[in-house]
């Protein structure tokens, strides 16, 4: 499967009378994009704002971050099964608006939503401070249930991203990246002697606003499966969860999954990047056993030499992570796991809720309990009403002088290594 991704670099975002991209500037008509958001009857009103790198701006509570894209050639469209009709994606040509994102915010849905600071120490922990962010702040109708509000805001963000992505359809990309993988037999013939490597991605699927969607299907309703890594670049996986902000993979991260991109960098050189294996994270033991059994079975059927396993969330999913590691290693496949840690504010607590001697190659994104003091900023997009109640905060987080003391788990995409959350660690 071969996919060309054309990059359209966005240097700035401005409001204008019409929506267009001109000389690297994205102009957005507020009236036009307002109509896009208010298609959903669950949203009473919406406000838009722009946050640029280095500005004294704080965005909170953040729900999702999305990179606008448009399918130019090939089957299907972006966000298949969610916005576009169900069809297999990942081939042809797709354009992406780089250097910007759509950020959805508004009243809190779940207590684990986060913060993006565009400057100061908080900005150092999140990759989204480096982007020009078009922020969509939604006000729900009265009496709405949490899951209905979450879905309304999630879909509003996707609709806005698709609307903005369409503006690039007739443009010429500033650069183009090509990604290609092969069928099993073809790959063995074209890349003989290279180790066969796959990426096992654990998707948050514990329910109660802890959900991820694959082609529009809630991941907890699926068994472990195989996809081509280019499919995620067309939005085949989208976020719908409210886990701790530093643990959550927003849709932007799925579209730009750094593990996928790092493996493609070595594909055909040092490894044969065979595929991506998706598996879910469950609540009940029997479900954990079933999913990890299937993941290990797929690794063996594909005759893999090694895999990288990444985790989303912490605590309960630590068990899924270790079960996957143990069973894959037992099949003779070398395994590297990527995780973050919750080791307490002093760093002396047990980092993971589970462990095993088979997990002897571990990459960490750092301690999410590490405390940081965020300075008072000049502007807040959204509201500070929930800072004391989000995961990583406490009743004293918001101080009288306007500064905020929180654990870095409260920062969207946070990691001790600047990058895409814990997935960026190497």
């Amino acid at each position: 499967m071969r996919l060309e991704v054309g990059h359209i670099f966005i240097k700035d975002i401005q409001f204008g009378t019409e929506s267009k991209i001109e000389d690297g500037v994205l102009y957005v008509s507020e009236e036009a994009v307002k109509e896009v958001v208010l298609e959903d009857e669950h949203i009473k009103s919406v406000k838009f704002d722009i946050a640029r790198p280095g500005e004294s701006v704080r965005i909170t509570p953040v729900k999702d971050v999305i990179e606008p894209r448009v399918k130019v050639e090939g089957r299907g469209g972006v966000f298949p099964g969610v916005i576009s009709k169900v069809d297999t994606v990942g081939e042809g040509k797709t354009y992406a608006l780089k250097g910007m994102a759509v950020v959805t915010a508004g009243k809190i849905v779940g207590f684990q939503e986060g913060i993006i600071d565009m400057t100061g120490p908080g900005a150092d922990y999140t990759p989204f401070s480096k982007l020009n962010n078009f922020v969509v702040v939604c006000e729900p109708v009265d009496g709405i249930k949490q899951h209905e509000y979450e879905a309304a805001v999630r879909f509003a963000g996707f609709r806005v991203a698709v609307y903005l992505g369409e503006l690039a359809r007739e443009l010429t990309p500033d650069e183009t990246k090509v990604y290609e993988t092969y069928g099993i037999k073809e790959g063995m013939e074209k890349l003989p002697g290279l180790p066969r490597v796959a990426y096992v991605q654990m998707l948050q699927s514990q329910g109660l606003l802890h959900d991820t969607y694959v082609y529009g299907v809630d991941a907890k309703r699926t068994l472990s499966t195989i996809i081509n890594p280019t499919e995620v670049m067309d939005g085949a996986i989208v976020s719908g969860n409210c886990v701790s902000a530093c643990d959550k993979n927003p849709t932007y991260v799925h579209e730009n999954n750094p593990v996928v991109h790092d493996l493609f960098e070595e594909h055909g050189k040092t490894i044969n990047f065979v595929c991506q294996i998706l598996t879910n994270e469950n609540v009940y033991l029997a479900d954990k056993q079933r999913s990890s059994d299937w993941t290990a079975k797929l690794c063996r059927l594909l005759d893999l030499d090694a895999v990288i396993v990444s985790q989303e969330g912490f605590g309960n999913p630590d068990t899924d992570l270790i079960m996957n590691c143990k069973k894959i290693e037992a099949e003779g496949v070398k395994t590297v796991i990527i995780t973050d840690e919750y080791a307490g504010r002093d760093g002396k607590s047990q980092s993971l809720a589970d462990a095993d001697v088979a997990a002897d190659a571990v990459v960490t994104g750092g301690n999410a309990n590490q405390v940081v003091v965020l300075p008072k900023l000049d502007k807040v997009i959204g509201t500070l009403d929930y800072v004391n109640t989000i995961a990583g905060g406490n009743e004293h987080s918001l101080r009288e002088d306007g500064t905020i003391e929180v654990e870095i788990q409260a920062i969207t995409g946070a990691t001790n290594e600047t990058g895409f959350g814990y997935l960026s660690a190497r």
Side-chain angles (χ1 to χ4, degrees), residues 17 35 137 154 156 199 206 238 246 284 288 313 340 353 419 426:
T17 56
E35 289 184 13
V137 183
R154 170 162 36 98
Y199 169 38
Q206 294 174 287
V238 299
C246 75
Y284 296 107
K288 294 177 183 292
D340 60 358
R426 303 189 185 190

Side-chain angles (χ1 to χ4, degrees), residues 199-262:
Y199 169 38
V200 175
Q201 184 177 9
M202 293 169 50
L203 301 176
Q204 178 57 244
S205 57
Q206 294 174 287
L208 297 177
L209 305 178
H210 288 47
D211 302 300
T212 305
Y213 298 87
V214 182
Y215 281 90
V217 177
D218 192 328
K220 66 174 171 284
R221 296 172 53 195
T222 68
L223 289 168
S224 302
T225 191
I226 301 170
I227 67 169
N228 193 291
T230 56
E231 294 177 61
V232 300
M233 300 179 191
D234 279 335
I237 304 175
V238 299
S239 175
N241 72 69
C242 301
V243 297
S244 292
C246 75
D247 281 293
K248 178 166 85 172
N249 288 327
T251 298
Y252 186 102
V253 173
H254 290 300
E255 295 172 284
N256 295 280
N257 190 306
V259 176
V260 168
H261 283 270
D262 284 353

Side-chain angles (χ1 to χ4, degrees), residues 1-5 89-93 176-184 186-188 190-191 194 197 227-233 260-269 271-276:
M1 190 174 283
R2 185 178 189 274
L3 178 67
E4 296 182 20
V5 180
V89 295
E91 61 182 355
K93 186 180 297 184
T176 299
K177 301 282 188 178
V178 178
Y179 305 92
E180 186 173 12
T181 58
Y182 311 110
I184 295 177
E186 184 183 15
M188 289 180 171
K190 288 191 173 184
L191 304 174
L194 291 182
V197 179
I227 67 169
N228 193 291
T230 56
E231 294 177 61
V232 300
M233 300 179 191
V260 168
H261 283 270
D262 284 353
L263 289 172
F264 265 121
E265 284 294 319
E266 296 301 316
H267 182 52
K269 302 173 186 176
I271 65 169
N272 175 2
F273 185 14
V274 177
C275 68
Q276 191 167 344

Side-chain angles (χ1 to χ4, degrees), residues 98-116:
K98 309 302 290 187
M100 71 146 298
V102 172
V103 177
T104 51
K107 285 185 177 179
I108 199 164
V109 173
F111 67 90
Q112 293 175 304
E113 294 162 2
I115 300 168
I116 295 175

Side-chain angles (χ1 to χ4, degrees), residues 50-62:
I50 298 167
R52 302 175 179 88
E55 292 183 338
S56 185
V57 175
R58 172 167 294 137
I59 310 169
T60 187
V62 174

